[in-house]
Amino acid sequence: MRLKDISITGYRSLYDVNLTPGDLTVLTGPNNSGKTNFVEALDFLAETYRHGLEVAISRKGGLENIIHRRMRRTRRSLSFRVEVTMNREEFPYFSATESEKRQGPSEIHITHQFTIVPLSQRIDAEFRVLQESLSIKATEKSGPLFEFNRTEGGVEVTLDESRLKRIKWIRELGYFETGMYRQIYDRVRPTDLLLSIKFNPIEAWYARAMGSMRLYQLVPLEGRRPGVPTPNAEVDTHGQNLPALVSFLRKNDPAAWQQVIEAMQRIVPELTDIKTDFTPDRLLALQFVERGVRRPWSAEDISDGTIQALGMYTAIFDPRASLILIEEPENSVHPWIIRNFIDACRAAGKRQIILTTHSPALLEYLNPQEITVVWKRHGRTFIVPLPKVDSTVNSLWSEGSLSIFDMLDSGLIPQAVPGDEQ
């Protein structure tokens, strides 16, 4: 899955923002400008696709704590619009012949949009889905092959059967029974998305891919703790259960684990392996094997920077995540590690990565197209790619007249420096 475009309206300070992320997108700007709000909005979206709106809202502290306020308790709606592409090879039950691979489009373009509104101005206000739509296209500029639009009055479903017949692989993937949407409408709770029903495999795999986005705000202390062994181990936002993820990658994805080890060896040259072993209470603990040292080092013997680096590398090389969000990866690590980490992000393959940072070392290692500036004005966040904030940055950077950090730190770009809201 590739996230082509994301629009968010009404999430905390994100009054009305839009981002078209690249392979690597780095958000920078003053404190309290909205960087964390943006990555947590994507985390909220992932929770919505995984567990539903009610769970996602409760895990973020309730609607009162996430919806944008204008004055007092007057609120606006909360909306998301997501546009993604999915390649046919991402659908595990579909196998195209060689002739089919050479014919027609190989991607599906999916756009999903929904709006929720509170039912009152009370702090404990309930909410409902005001509007929802889903569109599936064969190409970005073509008309929808399939589309539903849900409003308070019902759901309208359209299907272009003639065009669908001409694209065999999409026709075989989807179960496009339009009548089912109308029949089930009255049974869908007003707090649920219609997409949560997942009538056809395309919707199901889209929701699964979106639900696999992961936000990390890593804390070395959490990464050191023993982990719980499970068949599909994951770490939480702060890095807890890192030993279990290491064990999972070692057993289930040798190629990904080799990428992690090679990345770690670039910053710890004497490192030969990272293993796990059971503690007396049957939890998994990290062990670091170093050349010339007879006994492995425990996690307590290793620096914060090494634990932080291990958490970041396992995050970006774990192939199960469609998009990775990491807040301030520079915390606890040496600038040398940051430069190696950015190289690893650029080589991470199909996974898109979004970072937030204040680090001069990190910013200096980027090109202008990888940087997006975040600032706040009158309580509203603005998120704009650096070249669009100032059209001269590309030439200044390519000529070597100014470094990226100098541009951002000198005041040349006022939106990028702390101070009064612009």
Side-chain angles (χ1 to χ4, degrees), residues 89-375:
E89 280 72 34
E90 294 182 58
F91 298 92
Y93 45 80
F94 178 78
S95 179
T97 65
E98 288 302 317
S99 61
E100 287 174 333
K101 290 179 180 179
R102 293 191 294 268
Q103 297 175 5
S106 62
E107 292 181 333
I108 293 178
H109 294 255
I110 302 172
T111 302
H112 185 220
Q113 179 175 340
F114 64 88
T115 300
I116 64 175
V117 293
L119 298 182
S120 73
Q121 295 182 16
R122 291 168 52 90
I123 291 178
D124 59 349
E126 297 180 357
F127 70 91
R128 61 181 169 83
V129 177
L130 180 68
Q131 174 274 337
E132 181 186 6
S133 64
L134 177 83
S135 171
I136 298 174
K137 299 180 179 181
T139 64
E140 188 174 5
K141 296 183 179 180
S142 66
L145 296 170
F146 171 83
E147 185 174 40
F148 75 68
N149 286 283
R150 167 196 180 185
T151 64
E152 294 179 279
V155 58
E156 294 295 327
V157 188
T158 57
L159 177 65
D160 191 335
E161 295 186 13
S162 61
R163 294 189 64 245
L164 191 60
K165 288 179 180 178
R166 298 196 296 269
I167 309 175
K168 180 181 178 182
W169 73 274
I170 297 181
R171 186 177 73 249
E172 291 179 351
L173 277 178
Y175 173 71
F176 299 103
E177 177 51 61
T178 59
M180 293 293 294
Y181 293 85
R182 300 184 182 96
Q183 292 175 24
I184 204 71
Y185 173 77
D186 290 334
R187 302 181 186 179
V188 176
R189 293 184 302 179
T191 56
D192 287 339
L193 294 177
L194 188 59
L195 182 71
S196 65
I197 306 299
K198 303 179 182 66
F199 282 116
N200 67 62
I202 293 176
E203 292 179 8
W205 282 96
Y206 162 74
R208 179 172 178 171
M210 288 297 297
S212 72
M213 296 188 296
R214 291 292 184 268
L215 168 63
Y216 297 101
Q217 298 159 327
L218 297 171
V219 179
L221 177 63
E222 298 298 326
R224 295 180 194 279
R225 300 185 192 277
V228 179
T230 57
N232 294 287
E234 295 181 350
V235 301
D236 72 1
T237 299
H238 300 301
Q240 190 169 358
N241 215 34
L242 180 57
L245 177 57
V246 168
S247 177
F248 172 85
L249 292 176
R250 285 177 61 95
K251 292 177 182 177
N252 296 284
D253 200 326
W257 179 245
Q258 185 61 31
Q259 288 179 297
V260 173
I261 284 294
E262 290 175 358
M264 291 297 295
Q265 287 173 334
R266 283 192 286 273
I267 61 176
V268 186
E270 298 301 314
L271 185 71
T272 60
D273 199 5
I274 303 172
K275 303 187 297 183
T276 59
D277 198 4
F278 285 99
T279 65
D281 50 355
R282 299 181 181 86
L283 298 177
L284 284 171
L286 290 171
Q287 293 187 332
F288 294 78
V289 182
E290 191 172 314
R291 187 179 297 109
V293 179
R294 299 179 64 180
R295 293 176 54 190
W297 300 104
S298 71
E300 288 71 25
D301 299 319
I302 300 299
S303 71
D304 283 355
T306 302
I307 296 291
Q308 183 85 346
L310 178 61
M312 294 190 300
Y313 286 129
T314 53
I316 66 172
F317 289 126
D318 184 349
R320 295 172 295 172
S322 59
L323 185 146
I324 306 295
L325 305 146
I326 302 180
E327 281 222 82
E328 299 183 359
E330 65 270 17
N331 289 344
S332 304
V333 300
H334 190 277
W336 170 257
I337 297 177
I338 284 295
R339 290 191 287 272
N340 278 272
F341 175 67
I342 293 300
D343 287 338
C345 288
R346 290 168 173 158
K350 297 180 180 179
R351 286 175 298 284
Q352 291 172 283
I353 297 170
I354 298 177
L355 311 176
T356 71
T357 190
H358 293 289
S359 168
L362 195 158
L363 292 169
E364 287 287 79
Y365 205 58
L366 301 173
N367 63 61
Q369 285 68 39
E370 293 170 326
I371 298 173
T372 293
V373 181
V374 183
W375 73 93

Side-chain angles (χ1 to χ4, degrees), residues 58-75:
S58 66
R59 289 185 176 179
K60 293 299 182 184
L63 194 61
E64 167 73 13
N65 288 316
I66 65 174
I67 203 163
H68 182 87
R69 303 180 205 171
R70 295 181 186 175
M71 295 175 61
R72 298 181 183 177
R73 296 198 182 281
T74 303
R75 301 184 181 94

